[in-house]
Amino acid sequence: MPLTLASINLHCGLDRYGYAYPVEEAIAALDTDVVLVQENWRPRGGVSLARAAAGDCGYPGYAELPMTGDVDLPGLAVAPRAPDEIGAWGIAVLSRHPITVRTPIGLGAAPGDVIGDRSAQVVEVAGLQVVNVHLTHRLPYGPAQLLRLRRGLAGDYRPTVIAGDFNMFWPTILLARPYRQAARGRTWPAHRPLAQIDHILRSPGLRIRRSGAMRGVGSDHRPIRVEVEVPRRTPGRHPDIAALRPPARHRP
């Protein structure tokens, strides 16, 4: 079964100058079955940007994971002219298919990171395990969080996609093995992309049909997209088990 998936850092609904852009139009432009969102802003007493877009863009499946309590938006320093608002900051998954929410995976906190403890959001959509991440920008703690994520998924043989804002370049992504890069393309900064810091990784044996970075939609990050061929499950056996387990030792 083919499933399209995109990841986008919404930058709290602000462009690189700090002016609001239409998030609903940005989500609609992705036109994928599943959308993973980072920097989802929820103003105090209101609904989050991603939840509002889910309702407007035809995504009945929705799961949200706030990573802060009430914080001051300008204090997050996401843009030079951020509105004077109080609210929560986090990540979310939007889906055209039903979502089963799994237990998040704790990634820990990095010194100097105003977000504090971060977690990976884990959901299941149409037989695919989807992991949404926004790793810290504080080096070398981002790679350490990636290693924690890999350990948190150890022994899980379900077909899996890990996607989000990794805040790190391609070579460091090798720390996530056996998960491998599924999409390449420069994503940041959106107006003149110089590097890929947003990634989509796949578990062994998971087939990718098409992939790549997309055009900018208003955020300071460009979205990244894949089309995944989700394998049919065989009772009593998972298609990724053979790929993830080490080969049996030969005994003479």
Side-chain angles (χ1 to χ4, degrees):
M1 168 186 165
L3 191 73
T4 54
L5 181 147
S7 176
I8 175 65
N9 181 323
L10 289 182
H11 199 229
C12 297
L14 306 173
D15 65 17
R16 65 190 177 111
Y17 300 109
Y19 296 109
Y21 65 89
V23 171
E24 292 85 356
E25 293 180 17
I27 297 295
L30 303 179
D31 191 25
T32 54
D33 298 314
V34 182
V35 180
L36 281 70
V37 164
Q38 303 87 46
E39 294 195 16
N40 180 35
W41 178 251
R42 185 182 68 199
R44 178 190 285 173
V47 299
S48 71
L49 297 170
R51 181 174 286 280
D56 291 343
C57 300
Y59 288 97
Y62 183 80
E64 186 173 305
L65 181 63
M67 279 195 268
T68 71
D70 280 349
V71 293
D72 181 59
L73 180 55
L76 294 176
V78 296
R81 298 182 182 182
D84 188 14
E85 290 184 359
I86 302 295
W89 182 100
I91 56 181
V93 177
L94 297 69
S95 174
R96 292 172 177 165
H97 302 279
I99 285 179
T100 301
V101 178
R102 305 297 185 191
T103 303
I105 298 173
L107 305 178
D113 186 348
V114 296
I115 301 304
D117 284 320
R118 297 190 183 228
S119 296
Q121 183 182 22
V122 184
V123 303
E124 186 168 338
V125 180
L128 180 70
Q129 181 169 247
V130 177
V131 182
N132 185 15
V133 299
H134 188 179
L135 305 182
T136 183
H137 64 285
R138 302 285 294 178
L139 294 174
Y141 304 101
Q145 290 179 345
L146 183 57
L147 289 172
R148 288 193 191 100
L149 175 61
R150 190 188 68 180
R151 288 195 295 268
L153 291 171
D156 192 330
Y157 303 120
R158 286 173 289 182
T160 299
V161 165
I162 305 170
D165 181 357
F166 284 64
N167 271 315
M168 61 183 72
F169 304 128
W170 175 79
T172 317
I173 302 303
L174 296 176
L175 292 172
R177 285 183 172 179
Y179 300 92
R180 297 179 180 274
Q181 194 171 39
R184 294 192 180 185
R186 297 175 181 179
T187 61
W188 185 86
H191 69 288
R192 187 179 298 169
L194 302 174
Q196 180 177 359
I197 61 174
D198 304 87
H199 301 275
I200 301 178
L201 310 181
R202 62 170 179 84
S203 58
L206 196 58
R207 182 184 172 192
I208 303 298
R209 289 184 169 186
R210 288 184 291 271
S211 66
M214 303 177 69
R215 297 182 63 180
V217 292
S219 169
D220 68 333
H221 290 243
R222 291 192 177 191
I224 193 162
R225 181 186 190 277
V226 295
E227 182 177 344
V228 182
E229 184 65 36
V230 182
R232 294 183 179 179
R233 292 185 177 180
T234 302
R237 181 174 175 81
H238 192 282
D240 277 354
I241 289 179
L244 285 168
R245 284 180 176 169
R249 295 179 62 184
H250 174 69
R251 296 185 178 184

